[in-house]
Amino acid sequence: MGIEDIVIGKGVLRELPRLIQRYQGKRAFVLADRNTWSTARKVCDILEEKDISCAPYVYEASPEPDEAAVGSCIMHFDRTCDILVAVGSGVLNDICKILSSTSNRPYIIVATAPSMDGYASATASVAMDGLKVSLPAVCAKAIVGDTEILRAAPERMLLAGLGDMLAKYISICEWRISHVITGEYYCETIAAMVRAALKKCVDHAEGLLEREEEAVQAVMEGLIMGGVAMSYAGKSRPASGVEHYISHIWDMRGLACGAPVDFHGIQCAVGTLMAVRLYEKLAGMTPCRERALDWAEEFDYREWSRCLEMFLGKGAQPMIAAEDVEGKYDLARHRERLEVILEKWEEIRAIIHEEIPSSRKLEKLMANLGMPMTASELGMDAQTLPMTFRATKDIRDKYVLSRLAWDLGVLEDLAGELGEEGTAGEEGIPGQERFSAVKER
């Protein structure tokens, strides 16, 4: 993988000049926003003490991860700089990845919050043409996580980091299930790395509220391990699944119609709890070949495409176009997958029970930390939840819970299980009323 140095601990910001000199850096382009500028100013002071000059660019407001923010960064880039230093977390890291890729300069990330698992990944998560996409980019050469800085992050960002780690319960489960059903590549060594990092985070979770150094460091290390795992696997499988797609759909709704959005990790935590409950329901079902085949035969993809457009606006267009390549609704392919599912159902159920904790256990953990547990607590219209879940099967070419449910013909059973938060008044949500014709079959 591309990362060469990972430095986490108390006071490690002082090691930044050594790292820059390792990459023959003489002048650093320092990227920050108004929230991280105080730390970025310390970075500049530390570098200039060692005769490394700095050219800072500070966003006046917290940037959105979109074309405008990336373009602004590129336009302000000082081309006399031979190394990049991003001071921040998710958005600034993603922007700097793209700048590094386009400018052919190495970059170092100075983390200011253990809030997401993208620090070590080689992709940038941004909004492009209304759709959340993962663009190929480059890894940071070094990650610096000074726990004195990380501990000072807002509490919600600390909990967001834990939320992004809780998502790994689902991602590893779905990776294994996809391996069984589709033959997708799976590596147990990588999965074991992620499980160990997740366990350490959960074991120290309650220390986050007290900003205990060991708890904060466990989350930071776990998030980096998630990125490392993605780099090793060459894909996002070890670290994200349907819970991330739930978060992406909410982000897209924010772009399309101004719906509220929260930190990615907070949304992933709520999405994880939703997915855990749905997997419990699924594991208790007995598959029916006739029902699954009838569902696939009667599914109207054109009508579903119109529903997606109404629900997500122009962001739905790349999702719809992707079906020409993916062919996930092709009836012959569906029959092939269905036969594997029916044959391997007990193995699939065993994977669910092995990888995913009970909803009661997860609820207790999140409640003890005061984490949001419902979409309503995030300020979202909870009536959108059934449509959100349906849409997750179209956002990427990845076999996740919603695709398994579609293959089994039980997608609507699970959508309905989103409970009192999401079943009432569904017809009032754009796209939902048009989908009623499909549902009634």
Side-chain angles (χ1 to χ4, degrees):
M1 62 177 304
I3 297 175
E4 298 181 15
D5 286 283
I6 298 174
V7 187
I8 305 174
K10 188 175 182 178
V12 298
L13 191 62
R14 284 283 170 185
E15 296 192 34
L16 187 56
R18 173 185 66 80
L19 295 172
I20 287 180
Q21 289 164 357
R22 175 176 176 178
Y23 303 107
Q24 292 78 49
K26 302 294 184 183
R27 180 169 171 79
F29 181 74
V30 180
L31 183 67
D33 64 19
R34 62 181 180 182
N35 295 318
T36 65
W37 171 236
S38 60
T39 300
R41 185 158 38 198
K42 293 178 185 176
V43 166
C44 292
D45 291 343
I46 289 171
L47 295 183
E48 289 170 354
E49 286 175 5
K50 299 295 182 180
D51 297 323
I52 300 171
S53 61
C54 297
Y57 174 57
V58 183
Y59 288 96
E60 292 184 2
S62 298
E64 295 294 327
D66 56 20
E67 299 98 329
V70 172
S72 179
C73 179
I74 292 174
M75 291 175 67
H76 287 88
F77 173 57
D78 184 337
R79 286 165 177 75
T80 65
C81 296
D82 50 18
I83 195 163
L84 316 175
V85 179
V87 183
S89 55
V91 175
L92 291 172
N93 186 41
D94 285 330
I95 291 171
C96 204
K97 287 178 188 178
I98 298 174
L99 178 61
S100 177
S101 180
T102 57
S103 67
N104 199 30
R105 266 65 161 192
Y107 92 96
I108 295 173
I109 176 70
V110 175
T112 56
S115 55
M116 53 88 218
D117 64 4
Y119 286 118
S121 76
T123 59
S125 181
V126 294
M128 185 170 69
D129 297 329
L131 176 68
K132 282 297 290 288
V133 298
S134 294
L135 295 180
V138 294
C139 281
K141 288 294 183 181
I143 301 172
V144 178
D146 192 321
T147 52
E148 291 184 324
I149 296 171
L150 299 174
R151 289 173 62 195
E155 182 180 285
R156 200 169 184 86
M157 296 189 79
L158 298 179
L159 295 177
L162 178 63
D164 210 341
M165 287 303 299
L166 294 176
K168 280 42 174 177
Y169 285 124
I170 305 298
S171 63
I172 298 299
C173 176
E174 291 183 334
W175 196 13
R176 289 182 63 188
I177 289 174
S178 181
H179 174 66
V180 170
I181 297 173
T182 72
E184 179 183 351
Y185 158 80
Y186 169 76
C187 177
E188 176 56 30
T189 300
I190 295 174
M193 290 166 46
V194 175
R195 287 192 204 99
L198 171 57
K199 183 178 185 304
K200 188 175 181 180
C201 290
V202 172
D203 288 347
H204 293 89
E206 294 195 9
L208 280 179
L209 297 183
E210 302 301 323
R211 300 180 184 273
E212 294 176 3
E213 185 172 352
E214 192 173 12
V216 172
Q217 184 160 336
V219 172
M220 186 66 190
E221 289 176 349
L223 294 168
I224 291 177
M225 185 56 68
V228 169
M230 287 189 279
S231 293
Y232 284 166
K235 56 178 70 178
S236 64
R237 264 299 187 189
S240 74
V242 72
E243 77 300 321
H244 270 63
Y245 290 177
I246 289 170
S247 177
H248 288 336
I249 293 295
W250 288 340
D251 289 341
M252 292 170 67
R253 289 274 297 168
L255 292 169
C257 58
V261 294
D262 209 304
F263 288 122
H264 168 72
I266 295 293
Q267 293 183 170
C268 283
V270 175
T272 296
L273 183 54
M274 288 170 54
V276 167
R277 291 167 175 163
L278 295 181
Y279 267 113
E280 288 178 340
K281 176 68 174 180
L282 183 71
M285 293 180 175
T286 300
C288 174
R289 178 184 284 104
E290 182 180 349
R291 178 180 183 180
L293 291 174
D294 287 347
W295 164 262
E297 287 279 356
E298 295 173 359
F299 185 76
D300 187 337
Y301 183 65
R302 289 186 179 181
E303 184 65 22
W304 170 240
S305 296
R306 288 190 283 271
C307 295
L308 274 179
E309 289 180 330
M310 294 179 69
F311 190 59
L312 296 174
K314 67 178 183 179
Q317 295 169 5
M319 297 166 64
I320 295 167
E323 174 60 14
D324 291 338
V325 176
E326 296 169 7
K328 56 184 173 291
Y329 299 118
D330 179 82
L331 294 180
R333 294 183 186 180
H334 169 251
R335 283 192 293 271
E336 291 175 2
R337 292 193 304 270
L338 180 60
E339 290 307 313
V340 176
I341 295 168
L342 294 172
E343 178 185 351
K344 302 285 189 179
W345 183 243
E346 289 308 312
E347 182 178 349
I348 292 168
R349 291 180 70 241
I351 291 171
I352 295 170
H353 291 308
E354 289 169 13
E355 297 292 351
I356 299 180
S358 70
S359 58
R360 184 172 299 178
K361 180 178 179 180
L362 187 58
E363 289 164 0
K364 181 179 179 181
L365 172 66
M366 294 173 67
N368 286 345
L369 294 171
M371 297 178 71
M373 297 168 64
T374 65
S376 297
E377 291 174 79
L378 304 184
M380 299 174 187
D381 185 345
Q383 295 176 4
T384 65
L385 295 186
M387 193 66 181
T388 295
F389 178 65
R390 297 177 190 121
T392 58
K393 60 185 168 47
D394 296 88
I395 197 166
R396 297 278 193 280
D397 188 13
K398 186 188 289 187
Y399 200 81
V400 296
L401 171 60
S402 49
R403 289 201 178 179
L404 175 57
W406 190 91
D407 278 350
L408 288 169
V410 299
L411 183 70
E412 289 311 303
D413 297 66
L414 295 194
E417 281 295 316
L418 294 173
E420 70 279 0
E421 254 215 299
T423 53
E426 201 180 339
E427 66 281 357
I429 304 303
Q432 308 248 33
E433 68 280 3
R434 298 199 65 142
F435 193 60
S436 61
V438 180
K439 288 173 60 179
E440 287 169 1
R441 296 194 183 101

